[in-house]
Every structure is written in C-alpha cells, then in structure tokens.
C-alpha cells in the first residue's frame, strides 16, 4: 500500500528529578549533601532511509514517545539518560508542524534531523550547598521533554514525471524502459499509485570495466482527467510527486480507438497542472504521441506535431509495445536532463539546507559545572 501523507505525535523524554541525599560515613570527615542529578530525557530524530518508499508505518502507529531520564541517586550518582528515538522516513519526506511551517526536507540518504528535544535532568541537592547552607534540602525536578504534532508528506524523488490521461500508455512505457512492473490493463485508472523506474539511457551494464552510462529516475503518475483539481477521478493528490522533477513527459494517445482530439487533451492536462501549481507548467516538457502501432489515420498525429512545433515543444511519436521510437525518446530525455540544472534548495533559516554530507542535528552539550556556577552566582 502506498501512503504519502501521515500525521504523528512525538513526545521527547522528560528529564529525571534531582535527588536529596547526605553522605554520612565513618572515617569520612567531610560528608554533606550527595544527591545526584537526574538523567536527560531521550530526544526524537527523523532519519532519511533510502530503502523506504512509503509512510505506511505511520498510518496506524501515530504516537511516539522517547524514554525519560532516570532520577538521581545518593553518593552523587547521576540518573541514566533516556535513549534517543530515531524514526525512519523515505527519501523526499517533508516535515511540517501544526502551523504548517516546514521543519525539514529529508532528501539526502542518512540525513538526520532533531524534531523533539529531550528534557534536561534536574539538579540534586549537592548543587545547592553553600558555606552558610551546608545541609540543603532543595532539589530540582526534571524538565519536560518537547512534544509536538507533525505532518509528514512524501514527494518522490524523480528526474522525469510521466503525465497524461488514463490509458495514454504511461505504465506500458515505464515497463519497457525500466525494470518497473506496474499493472497494465485496457481500462482507465489501472494505475492507482505512483511507480518509479530507473532508466539506463546509454545501454551500458557497468560490468567488466564498461561504463554504466547515463541513468535517470522516471515517475509514472496515475492518470489525470478534466476536473481533477476539483476532485474528479483520482484528483490531483499525486501531482505533488512531480513537483521535484526536472522534466515532464506528456503522453497523448493518438490511436484510432481514442476519440479525443490530441491537442484538446494536451490543453486539458496542462490546465490541471496549472490549477495545482503554476510552477508545473513552467517545467521543460516533451510531448509524446503514443500507440503508433494502432494509428492508421495520421491526421490527428500531424496536427499534434504542428501544434508542438508552434509552441516550440519537443515532439516524439512512439509505440511502446512494438518499440518504435522508444530508444530515441529515452536518449532525448537524457539529453534534455543534461541541460537542465538540478534545482538549488533554499538555504534560508526558515528552510532546510542542503548538504553533501548527511545532516545530523544534535543537542548542544551542557557544561553542568558552568550552569551550576552561574545559577549559584545569580541566587
């Protein structure tokens, strides 16, 4: 089951309480307070896992709580800190808080982001001893861990997005050019969830010293229909998965069995893309006429070719079943991707930053002696 949205609640561990204790032993001339500090609560992290491709694990299990810190003990024994919790999410997961603000964009394998900070442990009575107050009975309770409601949204990471009406041949094409095996049948809405396929444009195998060649990832999206932005058909909920793509390939059925005008089909799908996001229609696009093997009357095919020429759109005609024009299309897609730069991610403070190394945000270490000294000085 493909799940690309989830809402979860996370609660970091609370800090343990400080202890009130006194050391009184024979032959120990200086006893005094010996209450240990409480342990820190466990924090919660999100980590991008390249082996996951769905948020299914968060569909039914929605509450996650880290371990709390143990209380301090006598003889200056500090309580054990709670274990951190690491939640695995697929690559391309966006994290939003309950106000809708973006917390993180996990797009790098192994990237780790702190989303709930564990509470600090409370201080034992040893920290409250002063020359004029040598038997303190004060201690500090542990601080509560951070808790928050989060919304996870998965946007698949792909270079190319296949769009078009149902039964336009998207699943057939991705099954021919990659190892993906989507369901293929002669009825609308056969594809109910996005499919990803890795395409090798140059035909290399990468073995015995040969080069693998250019590769790219293709996303096959469920078919759109007119009025999809109003909820018709499967709606436009899957279009978020082409927002990250660099190139759109628009497949249009020009076979004799399809009564729709190809130019009108192009305009309808473009209208749905624009209704979802204006940035989608600004992406580079290749128009592909499909089912060439089932096309005897080429009048509509040529009309679509002329339309694309006027719009300065690259045009191809293929038959995925017979293999006609598929290799040329794949090479053209690879050539187009070579000229399209990868999108730069925003590095502003409100947006997640990109890094070639896996990101790991950890709580800053606390120098307890400095904290105690500062608080004693302020008291």
């Amino acid at each position: 089951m493909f799940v690309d949205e989830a809402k979860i609640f996370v609660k970091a561990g609370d800090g343990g309480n400080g202890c009130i204790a006194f050391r009184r032993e024979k032959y120990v001339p200086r006893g005094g307070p010996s209450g240990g500090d409480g342990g820190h609560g466990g924090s919660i992290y999100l980590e991008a896992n390249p082996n996951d491709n769905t948020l299914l694990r968060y569909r039914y299990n929605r509450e996650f709580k880290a371990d709390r810190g143990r209380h301090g003990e006598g003889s200056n024994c500090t309580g054990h800190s709670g274990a951190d919790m690491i939640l695995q999410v697929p690559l391309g997961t966006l994290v939003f808080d309950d106000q809708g603000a973006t917390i993180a964009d996990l797009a790098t394998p192994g990237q780790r982001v702190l989303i709930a900070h564990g509470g600090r442990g409370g201080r034992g009575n040893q920290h409250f001893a002063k020359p004029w107050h040598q038997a303190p009975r004060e201690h500090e309770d542990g601080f509560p861990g951070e808790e928050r409601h989060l919304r996870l949204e998965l946007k698949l990471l792909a270079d190319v997005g296949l769009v078009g009406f149902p039964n336009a041949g998207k699943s057939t094409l991705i099954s021919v050019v990659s190892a993906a095996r989507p369901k293929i049948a002669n009825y609308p809405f056969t594809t109910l969830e996005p499919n990803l396929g890795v395409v090798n444009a140059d035909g290399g195998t990468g073995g015995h010293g040969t080069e693998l060649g250019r590769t790219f990832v293709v996303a096959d999206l469920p078919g759109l229909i007119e009025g999809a932005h109003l909820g018709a058909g499967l709606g436009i909920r899957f279009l978020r998965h082409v927002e990250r793509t660099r190139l759109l390939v628009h497949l249009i059925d020009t076979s004799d069995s399809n009564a729709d005008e190809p130019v009108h089909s192009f305009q309808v799908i473009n209208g749905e893309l624009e209704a979802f996001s204006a940035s989608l229609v600004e992406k580079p696009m290749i128009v592909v006429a499909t089912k060439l093997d089932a096309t005897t009357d080429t009048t509509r095919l040529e009309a679509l070719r002329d339309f694309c020429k006027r719009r300065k759109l690259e045009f191809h005609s293929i038959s995925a079943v017979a293999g006609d024009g598929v290799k040329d299309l794949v090479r053209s897609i690879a050539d187009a991707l070579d000229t399209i730069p990868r999108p730069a991610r925003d590095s502003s403070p409100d947006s997640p930053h990109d890094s070639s190394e896996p990101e790991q945000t950890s709580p800053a270490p606390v120098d307890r002696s400095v904290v105690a000294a500062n608080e004693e000085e302020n008291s």
Side-chain angles (χ1 to χ4, degrees), residues 11-254:
K11 170 71 169 67
D14 297 334
N17 297 334
C19 176
I20 299 177
F22 296 91
R23 185 180 184 186
R24 295 176 180 176
E25 299 179 27
K26 191 176 182 180
Y27 306 120
V28 179
R30 296 184 181 181
S34 62
D37 302 333
H40 301 309
S43 298
I44 300 181
Y45 296 84
L46 286 180
E47 183 176 86
N49 183 7
N51 298 319
D52 282 352
N53 54 12
T54 177
L55 293 170
L56 179 61
R57 69 175 69 184
Y58 303 110
R59 180 166 186 171
Y60 303 108
N61 187 14
R62 301 193 176 195
E63 290 192 2
F64 301 90
K65 297 181 180 180
D67 290 341
R68 65 162 296 142
R70 301 299 181 262
H71 301 314
E73 299 178 2
S75 300
N76 297 325
C77 292
T78 301
H80 190 275
S81 294
D84 293 335
M85 177 179 288
I86 300 176
L87 305 179
Q88 305 281 343
V89 295
L91 283 177
T93 300
L94 286 167
V95 187
F96 303 91
D97 61 14
D98 52 0
Q99 304 298 323
T102 303
I103 299 175
D105 182 0
L106 297 165
T108 305
Q111 182 180 357
R112 185 180 295 180
V113 177
L114 175 66
I115 57 170
H117 199 293
R120 181 172 66 84
R123 294 178 298 159
N125 68 333
Q126 59 174 313
H127 294 286
F128 297 90
K130 297 177 176 61
W132 57 89
H133 186 41
Q134 298 182 6
R137 295 188 175 275
E138 297 87 3
H139 77 289
E140 197 173 60
D141 290 336
F143 290 83
E146 187 178 8
E147 61 181 53
R148 62 201 314 181
H149 293 271
L150 301 175
R151 181 170 64 88
L152 307 180
E153 182 178 297
L154 174 61
K155 292 185 180 180
L156 295 177
L157 299 179
D159 300 301
V160 181
L162 302 182
V163 297
F165 271 99
N167 269 19
K170 300 183 296 297
S171 297
T172 304
L173 177 61
I174 197 174
S175 69
V176 169
V177 300
S178 73
R181 292 294 175 263
K183 183 178 180 180
I184 301 173
N186 189 25
Y187 55 83
F189 301 111
T190 310
T191 303
L192 298 178
E193 60 189 41
N195 295 295
L196 289 180
V198 180
V199 181
N200 186 347
D202 299 324
T205 62
H208 301 290
T210 61
E211 294 185 0
L212 182 61
R214 297 174 295 175
T215 61
F216 54 87
V217 179
V218 177
D220 164 30
L221 300 184
L224 297 170
I225 62 173
E226 190 169 5
H229 68 284
L230 300 176
L234 295 177
I236 56 177
R237 60 183 296 260
F238 292 117
L239 280 182
R240 70 168 66 94
H241 299 295
V242 296
E243 285 187 306
R244 295 181 187 268
T245 61
R246 293 184 287 153
L247 176 68
L248 296 180
V249 176
H250 190 162
L251 274 63
I252 301 176
D253 182 4
T254 58

Side-chain angles (χ1 to χ4, degrees), residues 230-296:
L230 300 176
L234 295 177
I236 56 177
R237 60 183 296 260
F238 292 117
L239 280 182
R240 70 168 66 94
H241 299 295
V242 296
E243 285 187 306
R244 295 181 187 268
T245 61
R246 293 184 287 153
L247 176 68
L248 296 180
V249 176
H250 190 162
L251 274 63
I252 301 176
D253 182 4
T254 58
S255 64
D256 298 339
S257 60
N258 184 23
D260 297 332
E261 287 294 328
V263 174
H264 176 69
S265 300
F266 174 88
Q267 293 170 338
V268 168
I269 296 299
N270 258 29
E272 297 300 327
L273 295 176
E274 187 171 11
F276 179 79
S277 173
S279 62
L280 287 183
V281 294
E282 297 175 357
K283 289 182 179 290
M285 180 180 292
I286 295 178
V287 180
V288 180
T290 62
K291 305 184 181 181
L292 195 60
D293 57 307
T295 304
T296 57

